[in-house]
Structure formats: structure tokens, C-alpha cells
Amino acid sequence: MDGSHLGGWFPCKVALSNKVRQNAHVYLSDVSGVLETKMRVVVEVMHPNGTTLQIIGVVEKPITSLKNYRYVAIRIPWDVGLTLAKLVGVDVKKGERVEIHNYIARVKEVSPPPLR
């Protein structure tokens, strides 16, 4: 399914944590309300200089407690998260959590969750 109807560009947060396990997430507003757990999505992320990157991720969980909006946590590959951090000049050290607010993002494509 094409995600062009899911909205435009919105501020997002890229979070990297390697305290126990290496986790990388993109936290994005779900304006349309159609993103569900385990959906595969293609997220287009725009760098502050205008360069766009496409990332394939999996919706991990909806977050409804942030500022009266519905947000989703999209799990992305660790290496992609490190690349996003390095592109804006943020160094990720072992044992710390890093949050990056320099990007904007939009959902480009959505695939339904797999059948059980």
C-alpha cells in the first residue's frame, strides 16, 4: 500500500541505545492512525541539508501518552541508526542512550503485519 495518503513531513526522534542490547528506533507521529504493531513500513527521513534516506522498519508499538498525539516506535536496523547519528555529527558511545531531533520523516509505504 502506498503511504502517500498517510500525511506529509513531520518532526521525528531517532533514538539509539546500546546499554544492554543495541536498539535503534524512529519515533514518528501517526496522524492517520493506521499504523499497527508488526507492520513493515518504509520511512523517508530528511536530513537538515535536504538529503532524503529511505529506511525499512517494523512498527514496534504505538505510544499514546505523548502530548495527546498518537506516536509509533518504528524499529530500524542498528547500523542505519548509527549512520543517521554520524550524518548529523553525533557520536554514540557504549552504554549511553542518544536522541536525535534533527530529522523530519514521513511514511512512504506500508505493508500489513504478517499472518500468524
Side-chain angles (χ1 to χ4, degrees), residues 37-52:
T37 305
K38 297 186 181 178
M39 281 186 156
R40 295 180 59 86
V41 295
V42 176
V43 178
E44 201 168 16
V45 178
M46 185 182 294
H47 187 274
N49 70 7
T51 305
T52 59

Side-chain angles (χ1 to χ4, degrees), residues 5-48:
H5 68 283
L6 297 177
W9 294 97
F10 295 100
C12 70
K13 174 175 73 172
V14 178
L16 296 131
S17 176
N18 62 356
K19 291 182 179 180
V20 177
R21 292 185 333 197
Q22 294 177 334
N23 290 317
H25 292 88
V26 173
Y27 292 91
L28 181 64
S29 176
D30 181 19
V31 177
S32 63
V34 299
L35 296 178
E36 297 175 13
T37 305
K38 297 186 181 178
M39 281 186 156
R40 295 180 59 86
V41 295
V42 176
V43 178
E44 201 168 16
V45 178
M46 185 182 294
H47 187 274

